[in-house]
């Protein structure tokens, strides 16, 4: 399978199966954009709540000062945190680490900005946003900040404004460094009271001249005249060698980013590229995260890599790369992964020992006799999706691995009926199309007034978690009965296929030209994983708890693409899974050898909740180790072995669950722990699921004993 461009449209028609609502509970504060708006990207704090919480571009964070801090500034505050500034929680390993917030190292402002200043945003894209500051409502912006993930400088574009550069840390000195090279940029060096050096570059637009900067007080640097052009700032921890790199790349800045990719079988290659502004004849300086650098060819990264490195808040050390694009390669895409148990070494396992098959079919028949409707027609898209996926997995297992087509066919009929409730949008809280932000959301919060209803689905929380279960279920049904999709039609077309494709467009839209949904709402192609956090202002930025459900949503995408004959979607899912595996193993699932996250925290194994500004070894629903580790396990599926290495699983088990401790896990978490153990010890896992004294209370609502048996047997536990 070869795809030269995996980012191809799915569908483009309006989501006509759903009622449209324009009165979303969250107002679009200062958003100047008619196209669908990114709800889960790094810049959301600029249009939520007070508009003054920080956003993280990595390695810098930025936030609207909004009259706060020592300087009472109305500009954009810039901060960079070094590893030595982290605060750690109690215990060994430390329960959490957090980067300090509110440090206004430098603030890019203008003399003309005061307490009537308004902040607006435009050009809200997957990798970038323009943040604008105007002195009055409805006035032309005086300063625009093109914020792009990984940007090497924080850039302010002045429109006849007088630069005012402030610092709540305080200035020790300001030194003029002269014209850079042959011009037109000039450089200043600011030494702060914390003994950190920041470089300031001024580049005038044609017909304008850079003003002279003067240190007027311990907190203020002022420009001599208004000007049009750019002011760029960057932290210099490496002296003259770093300054030379900054000098060679100043005056140019990224305006927006894009991603492209090709896939051929097990080989995937993706490229991040940027559109430039300013002195566009120069090459950009951009910061790459560790998983980017690992996936770059050695020759490419060595040629483009500069001497600059800066700590990020939660992604290790960022490496500065000179160039207008990066190319990364993943060499082991799970192209042959399907619904059967799979590992990177064994590959798909569809033939199980006969003794295991007999038990699987017996248990499967029992589980398929359960009341599907009672476990799926629920007031939560999340729990309903888990129930549907559970039964879909049982049906597949009995049909394909157990070869009991009769029993499976009866279960499949029940599954189709249960799924049709959602395909026809007649569930307890139907989905609605939100035209304010551009997305498919639960009507739950509209009906109840509770913003946290169904885990915040109406507010764009967790859509990949919720909808991934439905996409997976549909993929199983369509693979077992290819006529199903075409048989479920109305005057507007195929109900089921359109329903599922609309879910995909909401959480994993492959194009930016869709007039109804933004590109890649959940998955962040810069970070290599998704952000679950929607339209809620947050002091620590976006976050995600369940890395495993993130990967499952990509696996669902892959399998739905295969089921409907969309090779680009299938290839996209394969590449996303490979990138997620790399990203999670760097940032989320921490082996003892992990050198990315802070050493005092690595011993926690699973990260818990990863924010943009902190990591906390906990969950939103409790602190039991089985919860914290287990939320990064469920649901156990073929992609689990790609993401979770045997080394990690073994270390995690020995730290938290060996010597009988797993048997003390509450409720369904016990089954999750043993299904996960199958990755490294399938025999013990199979023994657990095949025991005669079985208790269904050991199963999570999205798990089954049928799959636990097949999964552990397929990985070698029944031999």
């Amino acid at each position: 399978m070869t795809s030269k461009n995996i980012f191809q449209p799915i569908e483009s028609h309006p989501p006509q199966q759903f009622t449209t609502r324009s009165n979303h509970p969250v107002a679009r504060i200062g958003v100047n954009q008619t196209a669908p708006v990114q709800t889960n990207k790094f810049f959301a704090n600029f249009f939520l709540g007070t508009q003054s919480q920080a956003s993280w571009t990595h390695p810098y964070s930025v936030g609207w000062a909004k009259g706060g801090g020592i300087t009472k500034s109305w500009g954009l505050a810039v901060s960079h945190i070094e590893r030595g500034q982290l605060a750690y929680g109690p215990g060994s390993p430390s329960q959490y680490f957090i980067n300090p917030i509110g440090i206004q190292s430098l603030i890019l402002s203008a003399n003309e900005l005061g307490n009537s200043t308004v902040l607006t945003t435009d050009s809200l894209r997957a990798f970038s946003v323009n943040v604008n500051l105007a002195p009055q409502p409805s006035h032309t912006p005086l300063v625009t900040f093109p914020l792009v993930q990984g940007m090497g400088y924080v850039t302010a574009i002045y429109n006849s404004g007088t630069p005012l550069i402030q610092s709540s840390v305080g200035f020790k000195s300001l030194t003029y460094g002269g014209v850079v090279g042959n011009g037109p940029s000039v450089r200043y060096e600011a030494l702060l009271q914390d003994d950190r050096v920041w470089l300031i570059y001024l580049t005038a637009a044609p017909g304008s001249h850079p003003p002279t900067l003067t240190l007027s007080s311990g907190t203020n640097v002022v420009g001599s005249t208004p000007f049009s052009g750019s002011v760029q700032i960057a932290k210099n921890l490496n002296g003259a060698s770093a300054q030379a790199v900054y000098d060679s790349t100043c005056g140019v800045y990224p305006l927006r980013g894009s991603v492209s990719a090709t896939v051929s079988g097990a080989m995937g290659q993706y490229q991040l590229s940027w559109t430039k502004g300013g002195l566009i004849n120069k090459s950009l300086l951009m910061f790459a995260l560790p998983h980017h650098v690992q996936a770059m060819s050695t020759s490419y990264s060595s040629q483009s890599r500069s001497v600059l490195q800066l700590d990020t808040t939660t992604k290790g050390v960022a490496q500065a790369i000179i160039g207008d694009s990066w190319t990364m390669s993943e060499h082991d895409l799970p192209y042959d992964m399907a619904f059967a148990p799979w590992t990177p070494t064994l590959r798909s396992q569809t033939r199980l020992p006969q003794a295991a098959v007999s038990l699987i079919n017996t248990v499967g028949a029992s589980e398929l006799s359960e009341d599907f409707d009672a476990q799926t027609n629920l007031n939560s898209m999340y729990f309903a999706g888990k129930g549907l996926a559970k039964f879909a997995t049982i049906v597949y297992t009995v049909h394909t691995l157990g070869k009991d087509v009769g029993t499976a066919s009866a279960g499949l009929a029940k599954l189709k009926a249960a799924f049709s409730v959602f395909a026809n949008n007649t569930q307890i809280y139907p989905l609605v199309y939100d035209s304010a932000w551009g997305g498919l959301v639960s009507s739950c919060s509209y009906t109840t007034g509770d913003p946290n209803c169904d885990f915040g689905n109406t507010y764009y929380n967790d859509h990949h978690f919720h909808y991934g279960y439905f996409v997976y279920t549909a993929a199983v049904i369509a693979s077992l009965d290819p006529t199903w999709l075409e048989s479920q039609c109305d005057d507007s077309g195929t109900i089921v296929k359109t329903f599922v494709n609309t879910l995909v467009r909401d959480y994993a839209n492959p194009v930016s030209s869709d007039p109804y949904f933004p590109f890649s709402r959940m998955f962040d192609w810069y970070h290599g994983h998704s952000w679950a956090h929607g339209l809620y202002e947050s002091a620590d930025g976006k976050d995600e708890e369940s890395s495993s459900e993130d990967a499952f949503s990509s696996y669902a995408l892959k399998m739905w693409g295969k089921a409907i004959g969309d090779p680009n979607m299938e290839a996209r899912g394969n590449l996303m899974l490979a990138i997620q595996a790399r990203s999670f193993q760097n940032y989320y699932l921490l082996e003892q050898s992990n050198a990315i996250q802070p050493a005092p925290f690595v011993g926690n194994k699973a990260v818990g909740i990863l924010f943009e500004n902190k990591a906390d070894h906990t969950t939103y629903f409790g602190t039991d180790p089985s919860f914290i580790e287990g939320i990064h396990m469920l649901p156990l599926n073929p992609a689990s072995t790609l993401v979770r290495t045997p080394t990690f699983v073994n270390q995690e088990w020995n730290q938290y669950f060996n010597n009988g401790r797993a048997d003390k896990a509450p409720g369904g978490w016990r089954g999750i722990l043993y299904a996960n153990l199958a990755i490294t010890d399938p025999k013990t896992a199979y023994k657990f699921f095949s025991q005669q004294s079985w208790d269904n209370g050991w199963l999570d609502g999205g798990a089954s004993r049928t799959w636990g048996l097949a999964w552990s047997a397929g990985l070698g536990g029944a031999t």
Side-chain angles (χ1 to χ4, degrees):
M1 179 185 66
T2 298
S3 176
K4 294 183 178 180
N5 178 11
I6 67 174
F7 296 102
Q8 298 291 335
I10 303 170
E11 294 176 354
S12 59
H13 56 71
Q16 55 199 19
Q17 290 174 277
F18 308 94
T19 300
T20 295
R21 298 192 65 150
S22 60
N23 60 332
H24 193 275
V26 178
R28 294 170 31 137
I29 304 173
V31 175
N32 294 328
Q33 180 165 299
T34 57
V37 177
Q38 294 285 357
T39 53
N40 292 59
K41 300 306 183 188
F42 71 96
F43 47 72
N45 274 337
F46 283 113
F47 54 68
L48 295 173
T50 65
Q51 297 184 275
S52 60
Q53 297 291 356
S55 293
W56 284 262
T57 63
H58 296 280
Y60 298 107
S61 65
V62 293
W64 188 20
K66 203 180 180 182
I70 294 172
T71 65
K72 308 299 181 186
S73 176
W74 290 88
L76 189 79
V78 180
S79 178
H80 174 262
I81 303 302
E82 298 168 31
R83 183 61 61 92
Q85 294 175 269
L86 297 186
Y88 293 93
S92 180
S94 299
Q95 178 190 326
Y96 61 81
F97 69 87
I98 186 170
N99 295 263
I101 58 176
I103 298 177
Q104 301 175 333
S105 293
L106 290 184
I107 308 167
L108 292 169
S109 188
N111 276 345
E112 296 84 356
L113 297 177
N115 58 12
S116 296
T117 299
V118 293
L119 184 151
T120 61
T121 54
D122 66 66
S123 305
L124 300 95
R125 298 182 172 93
F127 301 91
S128 62
V129 65
N130 284 343
V131 172
N132 310 296
L133 295 177
Q136 299 282 344
S138 75
H139 280 213
T140 300
L142 197 68
V143 191
T144 293
F145 303 89
L147 303 180
V148 182
Q149 288 175 306
M151 59 189 188
Y153 308 79
V154 180
T155 300
I157 302 171
Y158 286 77
N159 179 23
S160 299
T162 307
L164 172 62
I165 303 174
Q166 301 166 283
S167 175
S168 291
V169 175
F171 293 103
K172 274 189 175 180
S173 64
L174 179 71
T175 304
Y176 177 60
V179 176
V180 177
N182 296 321
S185 304
V186 298
R187 182 186 68 246
Y188 290 81
E189 181 179 295
L191 178 64
L192 304 189
Q193 292 293 343
D194 61 3
D195 291 323
R196 292 298 182 258
V197 172
W198 290 73
L199 302 177
I200 304 171
Y201 293 91
L202 285 77
T203 306
S208 184
H209 299 281
T212 300
L213 299 184
T214 304
L215 183 60
S216 63
S217 72
T219 58
N220 287 354
V221 168
V222 296
S224 56
T225 58
F227 97 122
S228 294
S230 67
V231 175
Q232 296 178 288
I233 61 173
K235 190 175 186 179
N236 183 5
L237 294 176
N238 300 96
S241 60
Q243 180 178 292
V245 175
Y246 285 124
D247 284 355
S248 68
T249 55
C250 68
V252 64
Y253 45 85
L255 294 172
R256 56 186 177 272
S258 62
V259 60
S260 59
T262 61
V263 167
S264 180
M267 176 66 181
Q269 190 173 82
Y270 68 108
Q271 186 175 77
L272 299 182
S273 305
W274 296 276
T275 301
K276 300 186 291 187
L279 304 180
I280 60 174
N281 60 313
K282 287 187 168 186
S283 295
L284 289 170
L285 182 71
M286 303 292 293
F287 280 96
L289 299 179
H291 77 280
H292 297 136
V293 176
Q294 292 166 9
M296 293 177 185
S297 69
T298 303
S299 60
Y300 176 83
S301 62
S302 62
Q303 291 171 5
S304 305
R305 186 182 305 190
S306 76
V307 298
L308 298 176
Q309 291 184 331
L310 288 175
D311 291 327
T312 70
T313 46
T314 57
K315 295 291 167 64
V317 178
Q319 172 66 56
I321 305 288
I322 299 174
D324 300 339
S325 65
W326 308 333
T327 300
M328 282 72 63
S329 298
E330 295 293 347
H331 299 278
D332 194 15
L333 273 60
Y335 69 97
D336 59 340
M337 180 191 294
F339 295 114
W342 181 96
T343 76
T345 53
L346 297 174
R347 316 310 284 190
S348 275
Q349 297 295 300
T350 57
R351 300 186 64 178
L352 307 181
Q354 187 55 47
V357 169
S358 297
L359 181 56
I360 286 167
N361 286 341
T362 299
V363 174
S366 174
E367 292 186 320
L368 289 177
S369 70
E370 295 175 7
D371 186 341
F372 283 31
D373 190 65
Q375 297 183 50
T376 61
N377 192 7
L378 307 174
N379 64 357
S380 162
M381 287 295 289
Y382 177 64
F383 288 119
K386 288 184 66 170
L388 287 168
K390 161 192 165 178
F391 287 117
T393 304
I394 299 170
V395 169
Y396 162 79
T397 301
V398 173
H399 178 278
T400 305
L401 303 181
K403 310 296 185 185
D404 185 348
V405 176
T407 300
S409 296
L412 182 61
K414 293 171 67 176
L415 181 61
K416 291 176 182 177
F419 193 88
S420 70
V421 172
F422 296 89
N424 290 292
N425 207 30
T426 56
Q427 65 270 32
I428 296 172
Y429 290 121
L431 298 179
V432 299
Y433 176 73
D434 161 37
S435 61
W437 296 96
L440 200 61
V441 300
S442 170
S443 58
C444 186
S445 293
Y446 291 103
T447 303
T448 66
D450 178 7
N452 298 313
C453 186
D454 200 5
F455 304 95
N457 181 297
T458 309
Y459 286 57
Y460 291 94
N461 271 10
D462 300 354
H463 278 201
H464 56 323
F465 299 162
H466 296 197
Y467 300 161
Y469 285 111
F470 288 86
V471 175
Y472 165 80
T473 300
V476 171
I477 300 174
S479 70
L480 295 177
D481 181 7
T483 68
W484 173 62
L485 296 179
E486 301 305 321
S487 67
Q488 304 297 307
C489 299
D490 63 9
D491 293 339
S492 62
T494 55
I495 296 173
V496 170
K497 186 175 180 181
T498 300
F499 167 70
V500 178
N501 278 344
T502 306
L503 297 180
V504 173
R505 287 167 72 192
D506 177 83
Y507 83 81
N509 195 15
V511 295
S512 58
S513 58
D514 191 325
Y516 300 99
F517 299 92
F519 169 76
S520 192
R521 183 192 308 280
M522 310 304 289
F523 186 77
D524 188 320
W525 285 89
Y526 178 77
H527 282 276
H529 63 81
S530 300
W531 297 111
H533 191 106
L535 295 176
Y536 302 84
E537 186 179 30
S538 171
D540 290 304
K542 297 301 183 185
D543 72 84
E544 177 165 84
E545 185 174 53
S546 180
S547 60
S548 49
E549 287 175 302
D550 186 359
F552 184 75
S553 71
S554 300
Y555 168 65
L557 191 73
K558 158 192 166 66
M559 297 310 298
W560 175 244
K562 186 177 182 66
I564 64 173
D566 184 339
N568 292 306
M569 186 186 298
E570 183 180 358
R572 200 162 59 250
N574 281 330
L575 180 60
M576 290 167 67
L577 282 169
I579 295 171
Q580 284 167 314
R582 183 183 297 278
S583 180
F584 291 151
Q585 290 161 21
N586 276 295
Y587 313 129
Y588 272 87
L589 308 175
L590 311 180
E591 295 182 8
Q592 291 173 2
S593 59
N594 185 284
I596 304 297
Q597 299 293 25
F601 185 80
V602 166
N604 285 303
K605 312 323 299 173
V607 77
I609 307 173
L610 185 69
F611 294 77
E612 292 183 279
N613 190 57
K614 71 179 182 182
D616 195 349
H617 191 246
T618 188
T619 72
Y620 282 112
F621 53 89
T623 58
D624 189 288
S626 64
F627 301 171
I628 302 170
E629 304 300 310
I631 198 62
H632 292 275
M633 301 175 187
L634 63 82
L636 273 298
N637 67 90
S640 299
T641 57
L642 180 72
V643 171
R644 302 176 62 83
T645 68
T647 297
F648 172 79
V649 171
N650 187 59
Q651 290 176 1
E652 179 186 50
W653 178 266
N654 290 338
Q655 178 158 332
Y656 291 107
F657 307 120
N658 67 358
N659 298 324
R661 288 180 291 172
D663 297 320
K664 298 178 183 178
W669 295 100
R670 188 184 304 193
I672 292 168
L673 298 183
Y674 275 100
N676 174 70
L677 179 63
I679 296 173
T680 188
D681 184 0
K683 292 186 181 299
T684 299
Y686 185 80
K687 182 178 179 180
F688 169 79
F689 285 105
S690 61
Q691 63 183 288
Q692 292 185 350
S693 56
W694 177 259
D695 184 343
N696 281 333
W698 298 336
L699 290 173
D700 171 68
S704 68
R705 188 185 180 198
T706 303
W707 177 246
L709 288 163
W711 170 247
S712 54
L715 299 188
T719 57

